[in-house]
Amino acid sequence: MNLKFLRDNPEQARRILELRKCAFDLDGLLELDERRRSLSTERDELRHRQKQMSAQVAKAKQEGQDAAGLMDQAKELSAKVKELDAKVSEVEQAQEERARMLPNIVHESVNEEDVVVSEWGQKPEFGFKPLAHWDLGEALDILDFKASAQLAGSRFTVFKGAGALLRRAMLAYFLDLHTKEHGYTEVGLPVLANRESMEGAGQLPHMEGENYAMRDDPLYLIPTSETPLANLHRGQTLEASDLPKKYVAYTLCFRREAGSYGKDVRGMIRVHQFDKVELFRYVEPDKSYDALEEMLKEAEAAVKGLGIPYRVKRLAAWDIAYQSAKTYDIDAWAAGVGRWLEISSVSNCEDYQMRRNRTRLRLAGGKTGYPHALNGSGLALQRTFVALIENNQQEDGSVLIPEVLRPYMNGLERIS
RNA sequence: GGAGAGGUGGCCGAGUGGUCGAAGGCGACCGCUUGCUAAGCGGUUAUGCGGGUAAUACCGUAUCAUGGGUUCGAAUCCCAUCCUCUCCGCCA
């Protein structure tokens, strides 16, 4: 939500905040805005007079007249302008700070509760008790949680041997699928981002404690490649003819998981460092909701390819990220832990990020507006890995490799 | 890490204290022309904020990397920061 929207539709804004269950002092912000506008108008008027005065001084000097009197008056005005200017910046800054904490609007199709919109595949049946991935992984010697704990602490993972190969194969499969079948351009990105990038994508300031910050440099480990991808064209004005821009990136992602003590502590369902292939699109505003549906299908294609049963949820208003106006989640069924795991989140952020980082779009009449930005996981590796090995485990303890991955694994058909 | 050079509009590039939002060129767009042919001529050509309008128009103000300072007045002078480039060092 931007200020103009707030000013023009305060009631709608209030409703959105309610839906999101977001405590935000809307009136306080609007008051600040009111104050800012009146102060800056006053300041501009004074400055106008001061400029006229300066012009008179210049003229007088040119004509060889004494300008001392004029200069004294101008000096006085100048001091007043300076004073007011300081006030204006103060209010501006306060307002900006608050406005940065505003979430995006919520699309009208979003409900107050999560809604499962589709389901695909069959949950596997076993004639034995399926193992959770931590047991299965250690038994097959493809995951080593003792080693990761020793290296970095809890919530990290060490992949070994065929496990490491499977990880690499899955990432390559995702990237190939999206570049070859779905027309995305692959980019390789930094996993460190500066403050501007973090704020531009909407991760900061409101997720402040959720990111790893560097001690010696003002940089953050990215929580998702959405962060750099949303900033790829920061400060630029894109031409409509350049759109859509479709990027896919594999990066590591880092999250402190600060608020999740005691949740998912075992295995690699919730880890501090994970792998993700991310889809990102810059599109014209009137095409963004079609693009959202397309991206959902693209993410689904990746899950289907692996043969993992899943469901698609349309998230409730209170459940979607700050920067998103509408989000679908894809949950994969993981038979070992017996749970649905979120492996993809596909969001239309509309112009929220583009406004924040000033990525503009030249419109038909030569005017400028903002493109819409969408992102979607395609897919998050660790949880997909979990679902895959848990679902594909056999009575003899081995794990079947899906067809699509075999070419990436030197033809390997099963891990045993 | 050390030394140096530089950051001006979509791009190139001029501008060292007053009418500079900024010459000139390129590009783009709009007209006109089509007897000299992948040409010519004329015009237009940034953005933020605030006001104003039904919407335009229009008005004010800000913006020459960023933030401060000097001055009646700053693209131009001073300070700090950031970024880019070159050379040296280190290094996968």
Side-chain angles (χ1 to χ4, degrees), chain A residues 77-137:
Chain A
L77 268 175
S78 174
K80 273 190 205 159
V81 168
K82 206 171 240 177
E83 212 174 289
L84 257 176
D85 208 30
K87 265 193 216 165
V88 172
S89 341
E90 196 183 306
V91 175
E92 250 169 7
Q93 207 184 325
Q95 185 190 13
E96 172 72 12
E97 233 165 74
R98 289 207 196 188
R100 286 247 142 193
M101 294 293 282
L102 274 169
N104 201 352
I105 58 146
V106 171
H107 189 257
E108 58 194 9
S109 64
V110 172
N111 300 59
E112 290 182 36
E113 295 301 330
D114 289 352
V115 177
V116 174
V117 293
S118 71
E119 245 182 283
W120 183 90
Q122 290 286 318
K123 292 182 186 175
E125 307 273 344
F126 299 93
F128 58 97
K129 187 169 165 35
L131 297 177
H133 63 281
W134 47 83
D135 291 330
L136 189 57

Side-chain angles (χ1 to χ4, degrees), chain A residues 350-362:
Chain A
E350 297 199 3
D351 63 7
Y352 186 84
Q353 297 169 320
M354 304 295 99
R355 279 179 191 281
R356 285 167 83 94
N357 68 21
R358 300 169 319 280
T359 303
R360 297 203 185 80
L361 173 64
R362 186 145 351 256

Side-chain angles (χ1 to χ4, degrees), chain A residues 28-323:
Chain A
L29 182 62
L30 288 172
E31 266 166 43
L32 268 176
D33 183 52
E34 191 64 46
R35 180 126 183 275
R36 185 199 105 240
R37 281 186 296 159
S38 80
L39 275 172
S40 90
T41 301
E42 196 183 333
R43 188 257 329 257
D44 284 355
E45 274 165 10
L46 263 182
R47 181 129 58 192
H48 179 52
R49 275 172 50 204
Q50 190 224 336
K51 281 180 75 168
Q52 286 178 325
M53 198 76 74
S54 279
Q56 281 178 39
V57 170
K59 203 171 184 187
K61 286 205 166 177
Q62 254 168 16
E63 290 167 0
Q65 294 169 0
D66 176 37
L70 278 171
M71 275 167 65
D72 281 346
Q73 288 180 55
K75 196 169 196 163
E76 217 170 290
L77 268 175
S78 174
K80 273 190 205 159
V81 168
K82 206 171 240 177
E83 212 174 289
L84 257 176
D85 208 30
K87 265 193 216 165
V88 172
S89 341
E90 196 183 306
V91 175
E92 250 169 7
Q93 207 184 325
Q95 185 190 13
E96 172 72 12
E97 233 165 74
R98 289 207 196 188
R100 286 247 142 193
M101 294 293 282
L102 274 169
N104 201 352
I105 58 146
V106 171
H107 189 257
E108 58 194 9
S109 64
V110 172
N111 300 59
E112 290 182 36
E113 295 301 330
D114 289 352
V115 177
V116 174
V117 293
S118 71
E119 245 182 283
W120 183 90
Q122 290 286 318
K123 292 182 186 175
E125 307 273 344
F126 299 93
F128 58 97
K129 187 169 165 35
L131 297 177
H133 63 281
W134 47 83
D135 291 330
L136 189 57
E138 302 234 332
L140 290 168
D141 200 24
I142 58 173
L143 297 175
D144 189 341
F145 294 105
K146 284 192 183 68
S148 57
Q150 173 176 320
L151 298 177
S154 66
R155 294 198 198 285
F156 286 91
T157 313
V158 167
F159 291 90
K160 285 166 72 179
L165 179 59
L166 176 57
R167 162 178 175 268
R168 187 150 55 86
M170 287 172 72
L171 294 172
Y173 159 66
F174 295 151
L175 285 167
D176 279 351
L177 174 69
H178 298 308
T179 53
K180 291 178 185 167
E181 307 290 323
H182 302 145
Y184 284 78
T185 303
E186 183 176 351
V187 286
L189 298 164
V191 294
L192 286 173
N194 57 28
R195 177 104 203 161
E196 271 182 290
S197 299
M198 295 293 282
E199 291 206 11
Q203 262 81 44
L204 293 178
H206 113 280
M207 295 283 270
E208 194 74 54
E210 196 33 57
N211 299 291
Y212 288 101
M214 296 295 114
R215 189 190 61 194
D216 294 331
D217 297 290
L219 293 169
Y220 299 82
L221 280 168
I222 57 172
T224 159
S225 17
E226 174 194 343
T227 305
L229 286 169
N231 284 282
L232 221 43
H233 299 289
R234 185 168 73 218
Q236 297 177 13
T237 303
L238 304 174
E239 301 297 328
S241 57
D242 296 337
L243 300 183
K245 284 184 179 292
K246 298 164 68 173
Y247 296 112
V248 60
Y250 156 67
T251 69
L252 287 168
C253 304
F254 301 90
R255 298 185 185 176
R256 294 190 61 224
E257 298 294 346
S260 61
Y261 298 109
K263 254 193 249 172
D264 307 317
V265 279
R266 287 196 81 176
M268 58 177 191
I269 290 172
R270 187 176 299 276
V271 283
H272 291 308
Q273 172 189 319
F274 60 97
D275 304 281
K276 185 155 59 72
V277 169
E278 183 82 358
L279 306 173
F280 201 97
R281 292 202 198 186
Y282 292 81
V283 305
E284 291 175 77
D286 59 327
K287 298 183 177 139
S288 68
Y289 281 92
D290 289 338
L292 180 68
E293 299 300 322
E294 277 177 36
M295 289 172 76
L296 175 61
K297 293 287 169 267
E298 289 161 357
E300 287 184 61
V303 198
K304 280 182 188 165
L306 297 174
I308 298 172
Y310 68 88
R311 66 179 186 193
V312 176
K313 280 185 316 201
R314 189 174 60 228
L315 293 192
W318 54 267
D319 212 8
I320 65 183
Y322 248 52
Q323 65 269 29

